[in-house]
Amino acid sequence: MQPKTNDSLSVGSINLILFAARQQGADADALARAVGIDAAQLKNPDGRVLIQQVQALWHEAIIATNDPALPLKLGEMVNPLALGVLAYVMMHCPTLGHVFDKLCHYQDIVCEGVQTTGQLIPADDKSGAKYVLSLRITSPDIIYPEHTFNSELSIYMSVIRALTGQRLTALETHFAYPRPSDTREHERVFDPTLLLFDASETTLVFDAALLDTPVLNANPSLFPLFEKHANDILNQLHTPSLKSRVKAEIVSLMKGEEPTLVSVADRLAMGVRTLQLHLKESGTSYQQLLDETRKELAIGHLREPNVSTTDIAYLLGFAEPSVFFRSFKKWTGQTPGAYRLAYA
């Protein structure tokens, strides 16, 4: 199974998941390897990981910890202010209302597959004014929406409490997935709140008066520095890098034969030497990007039990299955068959 998109998630978010899994006794390094994430990737605070890999990581982490509620516990198991630049932006907002505005604006920095929006609902004859924070899945690569919603909401609540120094709660919490057989962790994590499942949208509904709650230790002089960094990252995400464009063309051209540098350069309307030079300036090469793409696709395909390793070799454009086997072992330290037995 190859990724449907290039949607990605921040390395900071991945490290939170791995940390939580480690706290529950799992081998975090093995979990990262199982979904094709290299240790070097996890050291870059502004790095990105494909959402498809993150979804696979949630699946593996829940199996390894034997804890289906792990995503719900994420916010309280980790330091939610370790999310990276977005956390620093929110830390120096004057009020909770400003925090919500920045969370919605910079959501893609944390995860491109979820859209977070906020709406102020005026008071009526029945109730006071409310503020509704809504989450909507936007990436087709998110195949476990309940893990995504649970982890995001638990982190949001932890961030709100850490920034204000108060155990603030939502009036209502709505989940856009069916009611699970066991809701005790939902009740514990979001207590006290009205829990609603099978909702049309996943939301946190707050009393609008909370928007004026001050953020503790906010430093207005630091805010512009962190917001500039956040804007730079957001602009990079919304302007595909040359590396991501090359990998997208490799995927598009990989139909039973190896995509060549010449064919990719032609698709990008570039000369071969120009493309090679730009990739070198970016710290990579065409061969490295071809190997990365093949590795990511191979791991996805190996999770599909009905696709043989010989078929995978063909799909990835290898001339012979033996060449694919040798390459995969070089990438992961395991043969495709051994990897499938361990992780599929």
Side-chain angles (χ1 to χ4, degrees), residues 177-200:
Y177 59 79
R179 174 181 287 274
S181 58
D182 186 347
T183 63
R184 285 175 296 179
E185 280 301 309
H186 292 78
E187 294 163 6
R188 186 186 65 80
V189 171
F190 297 103
D191 178 64
T193 187
L194 174 64
L195 298 176
L196 297 173
F197 295 91
D198 288 302
S200 59

Side-chain angles (χ1 to χ4, degrees), residues 37-48:
I37 298 174
D38 295 328
Q41 287 179 265
L42 301 176
K43 295 178 181 178
N44 177 7
D46 292 330
R48 311 292 296 180

